[in-house]
Amino acid sequence: MKILLTNDDGYYAKGLWALARELAKSAEVKIVAPERQRSAISHAVTLHKPLRLRREKPLEEKNIEVYHSNGTPADCAMLGLLEVLPDADLLISGINSGPNLGEDILYSGTVAAAMEAALLGKPAAAVSIAEYDFDEFDLAAHFTAAIAPQIIEQNLPPKTILNINVPPVRKDECRGFRVTALGTRRYEDVLHKRTDPRGNAYFWITGTLIRESSPSDATDYSAIQNGFISITPITLDMTNSELLTKLAFHEVWGVDNSQ
């Protein structure tokens, strides 16, 4: 089994290495990850400057090769699958330090790297610890390594990835796993406006999370709240199929699509 690892926290991140070492017990692992922190960069790709790819042999361990790039997580997935390990059986992005639940996946570099792999026709999963500043990665690493062969066997539909979130608990405290839908995560006070010492305005994008999913919901957020690992299948097809036959506009430039 050949597995490409990437993330958005950088090639030195503890979560990435915890997963790499666990996977390397039974697989060939190659890391292609950003040279620095690139969280919340979503699916950005680099078009207007050269991409560099550097191998870090001093960091390598048995069954683990290490590369880093000045590119984004999506760039790293592309570099990894087209240059470093084109015959990869699976791409895994993570383990991310922090949750990727609900609508937050739209901003996530972790999820975007997995999505890029899906666009290139490879099975892919994104893995996150659903809490910031939680440094125990054993549960997430063990679970991901155990499920990796099954992800390959699933034959996921085209342009589909698995988004895995792991509760911030020890292995003996985890209640199991659930296949879930995306929940709802909304924020208030997202944009903070301030004034610098010279009287010029500047802004911080931040905010307080409003938790709206109830514990009974079959969502990723609810699974995490109840101590379960969440596995959510995500598709890149954002078409609202229900509206395809309902959406009607009348007399736009003399054309009526309602008939």
Side-chain angles (χ1 to χ4, degrees), residues 118-119 121-124 151 154-162 233-236:
L119 286 172
K122 292 290 185 178
I151 296 174
Q154 289 286 335
N155 291 320
L156 295 173
K159 300 181 182 180
T160 300
I161 70 165
L162 298 182
I234 297 172
T235 177
L236 295 170

Side-chain angles (χ1 to χ4, degrees), residues 43-239:
H43 208 126
V45 293
T46 302
L47 301 178
H48 303 296
K49 66 178 182 180
L51 286 175
R52 307 294 182 183
L53 185 63
R54 178 178 176 182
R55 186 171 179 180
E56 288 286 350
K57 287 188 176 182
L59 297 180
E60 295 183 351
E61 301 178 9
K62 183 179 179 181
N63 293 334
I64 302 175
E65 283 187 13
V66 184
Y67 301 80
H68 63 74
S69 170
N70 61 327
T72 66
D75 291 333
C76 289
M78 195 180 304
L79 287 167
L81 292 174
L82 298 180
E83 176 66 22
V84 176
L85 193 61
D87 57 344
D89 298 303
L90 174 67
L91 177 141
I92 302 176
S93 183
I95 300 168
N96 186 64
S97 294
N100 278 305
L101 301 164
E103 293 92 337
D104 287 356
I105 66 166
L106 295 173
Y107 307 100
S108 169
T110 303
V111 174
M115 287 183 170
E116 183 61 35
L119 286 172
L120 294 172
K122 292 290 185 178
V127 184
S128 305
I129 294 285
E131 184 64 64
Y132 297 103
D133 301 320
F134 185 81
D135 287 335
E136 295 185 28
F137 296 100
D138 286 353
L139 170 60
H142 290 160
F143 179 80
T144 304
I147 203 173
Q150 297 184 54
I151 296 174
I152 298 169
E153 294 168 3
Q154 289 286 335
N155 291 320
L156 295 173
K159 300 181 182 180
T160 300
I161 70 165
L162 298 182
N163 185 42
I164 300 171
N165 281 271
V166 180
V169 298
R170 296 190 304 270
K171 189 176 179 180
D172 60 352
E173 297 173 323
C174 181
R175 298 178 63 188
F177 66 92
R178 290 177 174 171
V179 177
T180 62
L182 288 176
T184 296
R185 284 168 68 83
R186 294 182 180 173
Y187 298 83
E188 62 181 0
D189 298 327
V190 172
L191 191 64
H192 288 189
K193 183 177 181 180
R194 299 176 184 176
T195 304
D196 68 21
R198 295 185 178 182
N200 299 312
Y202 69 96
F203 302 87
W204 278 108
I205 297 177
T206 181
T208 302
L209 177 65
I210 303 172
R211 293 179 168 92
E212 294 190 350
S213 296
S214 73
S216 62
D217 287 342
T219 63
D220 51 3
Y221 172 71
S222 295
I224 292 297
Q225 289 296 103
N226 285 289
F228 291 89
I229 294 169
S230 169
I231 305 175
T232 306
I234 297 172
T235 177
L236 295 170
D237 182 358
M238 297 184 182
T239 305

Side-chain angles (χ1 to χ4, degrees), residues 1-5 19-31 61-65 85 88-92 144-146 148-149 152:
M1 186 166 58
K2 297 181 179 181
I3 298 179
L4 180 68
L5 281 189
L19 181 55
R21 288 171 177 141
E22 191 63 32
L23 289 168
K25 295 176 182 179
S26 59
E28 175 187 339
V29 177
K30 295 193 179 183
I31 294 171
E61 301 178 9
K62 183 179 179 181
N63 293 334
I64 302 175
E65 283 187 13
L85 193 61
D89 298 303
L90 174 67
L91 177 141
I92 302 176
T144 304
I152 298 169

